[in-house]
Amino acid sequence: MIELPPLPYAKDALAPHISAETLTFHHDKHHKAYVETVNKLIEGTDLEGASLEDIIVKNASKAEKKKLFNNAAQAWNHTFYWHSMTPKGGGAPGGALADRIKADFGSFEKFAEAFRNEGAGQFGSGWVWLTLTGGKLKVEATHDADTPLAHGAAPLLCADVWEHAYYLDYQNRRPDYLATFLDHIVNWRFAEKNFAEAKAHSKAA
């Protein structure tokens, strides 16, 4: 059975950048609904004891399992998104990730511009990610529930650009939400940890 994980901080911890009202609706309604749907769909099947990661990878290319994939991917994406944010976050990363961002994007400012533009330009619903793909850092957008996990990439951090992630606080000003995400709440420690693990995994493979 898939569990709904709690938020890694209090619901008012990201205010004023993301309100407690937004996090309450987003986590307690949207995220919870994805988890509940996954559990209904896998009940009594050979996936009943599987992890979300296994469910996503095994069903990503199966048209007849699109509903299961969508809900499993959304459940996983949301958990990853919660951890991509932190109170008193924002700014630039440090260490090896900072060095790689400079090498692959030219500067942190160019990365931030690419991240903001990719997220703001995403037509409709979806996600914007920083990934390690083929040994190189990339900014990528995915539509709807799609996730880098389904394509062999290692996600380092993400921002949710579905309207329910920001509309109560920013209305239709998605660019402002993404700028605030990078300036004030992005969790670079989480991204740095994911980057180190992805590099170690690629060396071990």
Side-chain angles (χ1 to χ4, degrees):
M1 182 176 178
I2 304 301
E3 300 284 347
L4 175 68
L7 289 170
Y9 31 72
K11 286 176 181 170
D12 63 354
L14 302 181
H17 312 298
I18 294 181
S19 65
E21 184 181 18
T22 289
L23 285 181
T24 297
F25 276 102
H26 201 170
H27 177 268
D28 297 1
K29 303 289 186 183
H30 291 280
H31 193 177
K32 182 181 179 183
Y34 295 128
V35 171
E36 289 176 343
T37 301
V38 172
N39 284 325
K40 288 177 184 175
L41 292 171
I42 64 174
E43 186 176 3
T45 74
D46 59 352
L47 292 172
E48 195 164 10
S51 67
L52 278 174
E53 291 86 351
D54 285 343
I55 294 170
I56 289 165
V57 171
K58 289 178 180 178
N59 293 281
S61 60
K62 297 179 180 177
E64 73 277 11
K65 295 291 186 180
K66 187 152 184 75
K67 183 177 181 180
L68 175 58
F69 171 80
N70 283 342
N71 281 275
Q74 282 292 83
W76 190 91
N77 288 352
H78 276 85
T79 298
F80 195 85
Y81 171 60
W82 306 138
H83 288 277
S84 292
M85 301 183 289
T86 188
K88 300 180 181 178
L97 180 55
D99 294 340
R100 181 61 73 86
I101 285 176
K102 185 176 181 180
D104 289 348
F105 292 97
S107 68
F108 175 78
E109 290 73 22
K110 288 181 179 178
F111 152 75
E113 181 181 15
F115 191 89
R116 292 192 304 266
N117 289 344
E118 194 73 21
Q122 168 75 340
F123 185 76
S125 300
W127 304 80
V128 58
W129 308 81
L130 174 63
T131 68
L132 184 63
T133 305
K136 185 177 178 67
L137 292 182
K138 294 183 179 181
V139 169
E140 305 180 52
T142 58
H143 281 284
D144 299 327
D146 200 10
T147 177
L149 283 183
H151 307 286
L156 306 186
L157 65 85
C158 75
D160 187 344
V161 295
W162 286 65
E163 283 193 341
H164 62 243
Y166 60 87
Y167 205 85
L168 290 176
D169 300 319
Y170 297 88
Q171 287 77 53
N172 64 337
R173 294 178 288 111
R174 187 190 287 178
D176 291 351
Y177 155 69
L178 290 166
T180 299
F181 175 88
L182 288 176
D183 290 344
H184 297 288
I185 55 177
V186 66
N187 186 354
W188 284 116
R189 287 188 178 181
F190 178 65
E192 290 161 10
K193 173 177 171 288
N194 292 329
F195 179 58
E197 291 176 352
K199 287 199 304 178
H201 179 76
S202 64
K203 289 179 181 179

